Amino acid sequence: MADHAHGGDYDAATGKTTTGHSWDGISELNTPLPRWWLYTLYGCIVWAIIYWVLFPAWPWFGGATKGLLGWNSRTVVARELDELRASRSAMNDKLAAASLQQIEATPELLAFARAEGAAAFAQNCSPCHGAGAQGSRGYPNLNADRWLWGGTLDQIHTTITHGARWTADPDTHAGVMPSFGRDGLLNKEEISTIADYVRTLSGNAPDAGADLAKGKQLFIDNCSPCHGEDGKGNVDVGAANLTTQVWLYGPTKADIMHRIEVGGGGVMPAWKGRLDESTIKALTVFVHTLGGGK
Amino acid sequence: MSATNQAPTPKRSLWDYHAIFEKNSIILVLGILVAISIGGLVEIVPLFFLKATIEKVDGVRPKTPLELAGFDIYVREGCYLCHSQQVRALRDEVERYGHYSLAAESMYDHPFQWGSKRNGPDLARIGGKYSDDWHRDHLRHPQAVVPASIMPRYGFLEETPLDGAHIADNMKTLALVGVPYTQDMIDKAQEDLSAQGSPDSPGVADLQARYPKASAHEFGADKRPLTEADAVIAYLQQLGTQIDFKIYDNKANIR
């Protein structure tokens, strides 16, 4: 029984040597690892040691080893962000310095602001207002030239900066429609009568037999403080213009009745803080030039 | 062959000692255990002593009872299977989501929700990005607000009353593993739970004294029972908002 540590007997049948290990008389042929594999393994070990020396690697009491290169992911990302800001600064500084009106009047700035605004819109605004700013039920269409909080550059800028009914921002747009039905300010019949009248404001047909005179009186008593006697709304309190075919919550009588019943209004976050000022400016110009700016 | 049959060799090489492991399975298993333990100890033990492991950051607080209930539903529904909660320190991620995540921000999550699977966007900084109503619409029917979304509908959450009966027990358990819930917080869990669902309720001031910057939501908790959707929205709306990054000193925390 051969039992050497290394090297074995010559095996005549195969022409190879054995490992020298013999198990109950059965010997194992010596078939070493392929050299390329073995050298790759050694190479990896050497690489790992170099890596430990150059980069942060071993946790130790009081802090991990820092590595000779001083590489640090937080430093790297800070530097990359600085470089990014620097690369944009030529245009961003101009954007920050110019007024909104000047941006729109300068083709170069306008093109940059619209491009940056489009990117920021896709990431931040489209979940509510839609990819094409077309809005959806409860979320205003920004192409329609109808503005709850005003459609001038400065008004749009204020709305983006401070949001609407966003309680965390003290400068946010305030103004909430009362829950006329739920809070018992109007009964079901009165709400129905008002809804018929409201539909006529935009040229839609009321239900047959609707008492429009009474509806008008109820509208003036309850709704006109915000929506105006002519129903054209008021951007100071976010009261919608009721005389157009642009509807935030739908044009049917049921939609209108439900809105009078529950009141309230949509909430838009304040973007100040989350977005920097030049991005908000770019967004303002982008939204203003979508097709509905005043 | 057993080792006892081995003829002694006059000059023993290192390989002969290795034969001890090869020929005795118990010794081999013990050897494996020792080797793995050394690896584990070197990697893990220093973390318990490193101040750097979890940096202390102002503003991080335990979740309120309602947020905690929302967190449990978030885990129950497997939201983590598609949404990570970790903004990595990479330029494109910081550009898209905001400041990279700090370890402190998930120190009270059991289990943590970092994840690496992003079928949906990262949610580490989702808090305050959209309105409560949007979250409700989106949970009910994601495609109604984001047509390209592949997220399933979770409308049943707003039809399921929130079972908050065990929230105090839950907090007690978390306190055992180091979440700093005080006895006062645990005793007042039910009050805080309902106060956060109704901004006009008198309990809001107490809630905010116990949990700084906790925001009460217009869920109408004074008129109807809270639902699971309410809890999830309360949880989502505080994600990533606890640290004020205007104050946080990045440079001091390079490590």
Side-chain angles (χ1 to χ4, degrees):
Chain A
M1 179 172 65
D3 199 8
H4 311 292
H6 264 304
D9 303 326
Y10 178 73
D11 181 60
T14 58
K16 292 181 176 179
T17 51
T18 70
T19 58
H21 299 172
S22 173
W23 309 93
D24 293 341
I26 300 172
S27 301
E28 184 187 5
L29 288 178
N30 185 12
T31 313
L33 291 164
R35 295 296 100 174
W36 67 264
W37 190 95
L38 203 61
Y39 292 136
T40 306
L41 174 68
Y42 294 153
C44 289
I45 293 170
V46 172
W47 168 251
I49 293 168
I50 295 171
Y51 197 91
W52 295 342
V53 175
L54 294 182
F55 286 92
W58 291 95
W60 197 243
F61 303 89
T65 56
K66 301 254 185 262
L68 288 181
L69 294 183
W71 185 93
N72 178 298
S73 63
R74 292 184 172 187
T75 316
V76 170
V77 74
R79 191 184 65 230
E80 287 182 350
L81 284 166
D82 285 344
E83 285 167 5
L84 187 68
R85 279 187 208 107
S87 74
R88 289 174 181 163
S89 66
M91 290 304 284
N92 267 346
D93 290 350
K94 283 188 200 167
L95 215 58
S99 72
L100 293 163
Q101 286 74 12
Q102 284 166 343
I103 294 170
E104 284 211 349
T106 315
E108 184 198 20
L109 286 180
L110 177 64
F112 179 78
R114 293 210 68 209
E116 185 177 343
F121 189 90
Q123 164 58 11
N124 297 290
C125 315
S126 66
C128 292
H129 291 288
Q134 76 279 15
S136 59
R137 188 188 171 86
Y139 304 100
N141 181 340
L142 304 178
N143 302 307
D145 199 17
R146 301 289 169 217
W147 301 91
L148 288 170
W149 305 100
T152 69
L153 279 168
D154 292 321
Q155 285 167 325
I156 295 171
H157 185 262
T158 303
T159 305
I160 297 174
T161 307
H162 299 295
R165 305 182 185 96
W166 188 253
T167 48
D169 188 322
D171 299 323
T172 193
H173 285 311
V176 178
M177 181 163 156
S179 310
F180 286 100
R182 215 164 53 189
D183 291 349
L185 300 170
L186 294 168
N187 64 35
K188 201 92 185 166
E189 198 189 317
E190 289 168 325
I191 291 174
S192 167
T193 311
I194 294 176
D196 275 320
Y197 174 71
V198 167
R199 273 177 61 77
T200 65
L201 288 173
S202 51
N204 290 308
D207 280 1
D211 187 347
L212 294 178
K214 191 181 168 206
K216 181 173 186 181
Q217 193 54 50
L218 282 166
F219 184 86
I220 287 170
D221 293 345
N222 294 285
C223 315
S224 65
C226 294
H227 290 283
E229 290 201 13
D230 53 4
K232 291 210 163 142
N234 179 356
V235 294
D236 292 332
V237 292
N241 183 343
L242 303 173
T243 65
T244 73
Q245 292 298 351
V246 178
W247 296 90
L248 188 54
Y249 296 100
T252 69
K253 190 178 169 187
D255 291 327
I256 297 169
M257 284 182 67
H258 180 69
R259 197 44 42 190
I260 302 171
E261 168 84 21
V262 301
V267 174
M268 171 166 159
W271 293 90
K272 188 185 180 180
R274 188 178 279 273
L275 302 177
D276 60 27
E277 178 57 22
S278 67
T279 308
I280 291 179
K281 273 186 166 173
L283 269 174
T284 303
V285 170
F286 174 75
V287 170
H288 187 252
T289 53
L290 276 174
K294 289 201 186 294
Chain B
M1 288 278 128
S2 75
T4 49
N5 287 348
Q6 192 180 328
T9 42
K11 193 178 163 221
R12 287 169 72 92
S13 79
L14 205 60
W15 295 106
D16 288 317
Y17 293 105
H18 199 265
I20 297 167
F21 290 104
E22 290 184 25
K23 293 178 179 178
N24 297 279
S25 57
I26 296 295
I27 295 177
L28 178 68
V29 167
L30 290 174
I32 291 171
L33 279 177
V34 169
I36 292 176
S37 301
I38 291 171
L41 289 171
V42 169
E43 289 282 318
I44 297 164
V45 168
L47 295 180
F48 289 105
F49 300 95
L50 280 187
K51 284 203 197 86
T53 306
I54 295 186
E55 58 197 88
K56 264 200 108 48
V57 183
D58 287 341
V60 178
R61 59 162 174 81
K63 286 183 266 298
T64 66
L66 187 62
E67 291 158 10
L68 181 60
F71 172 82
D72 286 341
I73 295 162
Y74 183 97
V75 174
R76 183 192 75 196
E77 296 303 331
C79 304
Y80 57 85
L81 290 166
C82 291
H83 292 286
S84 58
Q85 285 186 23
Q86 186 192 30
V87 182
R88 292 171 290 185
L90 299 171
R91 191 184 87 172
D92 56 323
E93 299 219 350
V94 175
E95 270 280 285
R96 175 171 178 186
Y97 297 115
H99 198 286
Y100 51 78
S101 293
L102 304 179
E105 291 183 279
S106 45
M107 68 193 289
Y108 299 138
D109 285 354
H110 293 281
F112 67 79
Q113 300 295 310
W114 302 334
S116 58
K117 195 81 168 77
R118 283 184 180 165
N119 291 7
D122 187 271
L123 299 182
R125 301 255 172 258
I126 198 71
K129 194 171 182 192
Y130 309 118
S131 67
D132 291 352
D133 287 341
W134 182 86
H135 280 294
R136 200 174 298 277
D137 288 346
H138 182 254
L139 284 170
R140 186 187 301 133
H141 187 181
Q143 290 73 28
V145 282
V146 185
S149 174
I150 54 167
M151 178 167 141
R153 301 181 185 188
Y154 289 91
F156 62 92
L157 292 178
E158 63 180 332
E159 288 151 21
T160 314
L162 179 67
D163 178 9
H166 301 292
I167 199 70
D169 297 332
N170 197 343
M171 291 161 71
K172 257 187 239 171
T173 312
L174 287 169
L176 286 178
V177 293
V179 181
Y181 283 119
T182 62
Q183 194 57 44
D184 181 44
M185 288 169 163
I186 294 168
D187 292 342
K188 298 282 167 45
Q190 288 303 327
E191 286 88 334
D192 288 343
L193 190 73
S194 52
Q196 200 172 4
S198 169
D200 300 328
S201 74
V204 172
D206 285 345
L207 169 83
Q208 286 168 340
R210 278 186 278 272
Y211 305 92
K213 290 212 294 184
S215 61
H217 296 263
E218 198 70 72
F219 294 149
D222 46 344
K223 301 191 188 75
R224 62 167 173 82
L226 285 167
T227 66
E228 294 194 334
D230 297 333
V232 170
I233 292 169
Y235 168 64
L236 291 173
Q237 290 289 42
Q238 58 80 40
L239 276 179
T241 63
Q242 293 181 0
I243 296 174
D244 186 345
F245 282 101
K246 284 204 254 335
I247 301 168
Y248 176 77
D249 186 358
N250 260 330
K251 299 247 163 29
N253 286 288
I254 297 284
R255 49 173 60 85

